[in-house]
Amino acid sequence: MKLKYVLLVILLLNDTKLTSQNAPVPYQGTAADSLNILKELGQTREVYLRQQYDSVILLSDQILQKSKDKGFNRGAGESYFLKARATNRLGRREKAIEIYQLAVEQFHKVGDHSRMSSAYNNWGLVLKDMGRFREAVDIGEKALDHVKLNPPGRLHFHILNNLGNSYQNLAQFKNASRAYFEALQVLKNEPDSLYMQRMQAEVYINLGIVYFEQKFYEKSIETYIVAKTIFEEQQLKPQLATVYNNLAVVYTEIQDFNIAEGYLLVADSLNQAIKSEVGLAICTNNLAKIFREQQQYTLAIDKHNQAIDMLRNIGDQSYLPSCYLGLGKTYTLANLYNEAHISLLRGLQIALKSGQKVQELRFYEGLIDLHKSANQMEETLSLIHI
């Protein structure tokens, strides 16, 4: 018990630190007051885990007021942090960003770089989910600056992985690769565990995508195989389905259709086993790509439309742009230019709303190819200047 009070005294002393803009707020409570606040925060985290987000916001506000009354900055920071997480879960993302900023300010007052980096990381994830990848990169870099002031650990890894994903969505593949390789380096310093192996495999999937986007197909396959081996050892069907689907895409790109179809059959079987409707739609769309490459345009169009219907029925828009892109390309090759134009514009609209920069660029390329095929050179030149 003595050790707990010694640690508490240290926390309270930290709560009176100066910043360049704020005068010190002397702690006005007792050790028991702070222990009660920390206990209430722990209880509120349990409410969060039960997904009772409205209750979390109410309880966080109550704890926040107590912390402010006592000058307990750490308690205020943790209250804001919990409230921001719950607010984001309720879909109020702009508000969540504002609250994360307040959490950062409170953690800054006590000089807690670890908690600052956590708040910045979560803030960046909200921005990424909103498709605001440039802002997500800026906030992610701030999270990285602060986490580097502490020994490497899981948080350091997650920040790097998230940062790499934001760079990847901006088509900044060099920066994405740098972040992913640094993330793998952090994992090497962590005790080996099934969790760490799984995180390593997740990074390899991301690297495989980066290699694919740069047309480094052999490297893409190699990294996917590493991830596949880990997921097979841990019998992780959802992740395996993703890897098999991705491998099918690579082999389709290099025109090895037999291997592509083999991987796709396994992915389809896994998605059926885990009842993943999104996964099954992705398989259907990837099968359409194979038909397109084999110049079986009628079958390809049918499968692309089937995938679109599947995704619309479950209300998932994350993969819709890829389906519309494939459909537009197929219509173009089949000389159905009006249908191609409609499909590409529909997909582009969704990609623009969701901030999918890589997909956005692909749609412009698809529109340029369409207008070239249709001999509409004036419109093609205007698209090139976009």
Side-chain angles (χ1 to χ4, degrees):
M1 194 65 180
K2 288 182 179 179
L3 179 59
K4 183 182 289 185
Y5 279 108
V6 170
L7 292 172
L8 182 60
V9 170
I10 293 173
L11 293 178
L12 300 184
L13 286 172
N14 281 341
D15 276 352
T16 64
K17 286 188 176 181
L18 273 169
T19 70
S20 60
Q21 297 178 335
N22 299 290
V25 180
Y27 182 68
Q28 299 172 5
T30 64
D33 290 330
S34 296
L35 283 175
N36 285 333
I37 288 173
L38 294 173
K39 182 179 178 181
E40 288 178 22
L41 283 166
Q43 292 169 342
T44 305
R45 289 188 188 96
E46 293 177 4
V47 176
Y48 176 86
L49 293 174
R50 294 198 293 270
Q51 301 180 8
Q52 298 172 4
Y53 303 125
D54 286 315
S55 296
V56 170
I57 291 172
L58 179 63
L59 292 169
S60 296
D61 280 337
Q62 293 172 356
I63 299 170
L64 176 62
Q65 191 57 55
K66 291 179 186 178
S67 298
K68 286 183 174 179
D69 291 343
K70 301 297 181 182
F72 189 24
N73 296 322
R74 186 176 299 277
E78 296 295 349
S79 300
Y80 279 129
F81 189 85
L82 272 171
K83 183 179 179 180
R85 292 182 71 187
T87 301
N88 182 49
R89 287 289 188 177
L90 291 170
R92 304 167 195 161
R93 290 172 173 172
E94 290 288 356
K95 187 65 178 177
I97 289 171
E98 293 175 16
I99 302 171
Y100 275 126
Q101 186 172 359
L102 294 171
V104 168
E105 291 172 2
Q106 293 299 319
F107 292 136
H108 180 64
K109 289 179 181 179
V110 297
D112 193 331
H113 295 286
S114 178
R115 297 304 290 151
M116 286 178 71
S117 58
S118 290
Y120 274 128
N121 183 52
N122 284 18
W123 179 352
L125 284 173
V126 177
L127 289 167
K128 184 165 72 74
D129 289 341
M130 295 172 73
R132 291 158 60 178
F133 298 115
R134 294 190 188 282
E135 294 172 78
V137 162
D138 292 339
I139 296 300
E141 290 289 358
K142 288 182 180 180
L144 188 59
D145 289 341
H146 286 284
V147 81
K148 283 180 177 179
L149 298 174
N150 294 294
R154 289 189 181 184
L155 178 59
H156 195 167
F157 161 76
H158 286 299
I159 289 171
L160 285 165
N161 195 38
N162 294 334
L163 187 57
N165 197 251
S166 292
Y167 276 124
Q168 182 178 318
N169 279 287
L170 288 171
Q172 296 183 23
F173 300 123
K174 185 177 180 180
N175 287 330
S177 296
R178 172 184 56 79
Y180 290 142
F181 279 117
E182 287 183 18
L184 288 172
Q185 192 60 43
V186 170
L187 285 182
K188 287 182 180 179
N189 298 322
E190 289 291 299
D192 189 34
S193 66
L194 292 177
Y195 173 81
M196 286 301 153
Q197 291 173 20
R198 187 166 70 251
M199 290 302 98
Q200 183 183 45
E202 296 285 357
V203 177
Y204 278 119
I205 287 180
N206 290 334
L207 274 172
I209 295 170
V210 168
Y211 285 138
F212 176 80
E213 294 294 347
Q214 297 175 94
K215 304 187 187 302
F216 300 147
Y217 299 127
E218 287 188 12
K219 285 188 176 181
S220 181
I221 291 170
E222 288 173 8
T223 52
Y224 284 145
I225 293 298
V226 173
K228 181 173 79 72
T229 301
I230 295 171
F231 291 143
E232 284 175 340
E233 289 174 353
Q234 298 191 23
Q235 299 181 352
L236 299 170
K237 291 183 179 180
Q239 290 88 340
L240 271 174
T242 298
V243 174
Y244 278 114
N245 248 321
N246 289 4
L247 281 165
V249 171
V250 182
Y251 277 103
T252 300
E253 195 69 22
I254 61 177
Q255 306 279 300
D256 198 331
F257 302 124
N258 288 334
I259 294 180
E261 288 177 3
Y263 278 129
L264 209 51
L265 282 172
V266 178
D268 188 77
S269 176
L270 287 166
N271 281 308
Q272 288 186 37
I274 61 177
K275 298 179 180 179
S276 172
E277 294 181 74
V278 174
L280 289 169
I282 293 172
C283 285
T284 302
N285 192 58
N286 288 340
L287 181 58
K289 292 178 184 177
I290 293 176
F291 286 140
R292 182 176 72 236
E293 293 298 321
Q294 294 174 330
Q295 299 182 7
Q296 300 182 56
Y297 301 133
T298 301
L299 286 173
I301 290 168
D302 179 63
K303 289 299 178 182
H304 280 309
N305 279 316
Q306 186 180 335
I308 289 170
D309 289 341
M310 292 167 73
L311 291 169
R312 287 200 176 281
N313 287 338
I314 59 176
D316 189 290
Q317 293 210 7
S318 61
Y319 200 72
L320 268 177
S322 181
C323 296
Y324 276 116
L325 179 64
L327 183 59
K329 286 182 175 181
T330 307
Y331 276 133
T332 298
L333 291 170
N335 299 325
L336 298 169
Y337 301 128
N338 185 53
E339 291 87 344
H341 193 253
I342 292 170
S343 298
L344 291 169
L345 288 182
R346 282 178 179 171
L348 176 60
Q349 187 177 24
I350 298 170
L352 287 170
K353 284 182 179 178
S354 59
Q356 298 181 32
K357 187 66 177 178
V358 175
Q359 287 286 43
E360 180 186 333
L361 294 172
R362 286 175 177 166
F363 276 107
Y364 288 131
E365 291 171 356
L367 285 165
I368 289 170
D369 289 340
L370 163 63
H371 291 297
K372 283 181 178 179
S373 298
N375 295 318
Q376 298 175 22
M377 293 307 297
E378 188 175 332
E379 290 187 48
T380 300
L381 289 173
S382 68
L383 285 167
I384 291 172
H385 287 295
I386 290 176

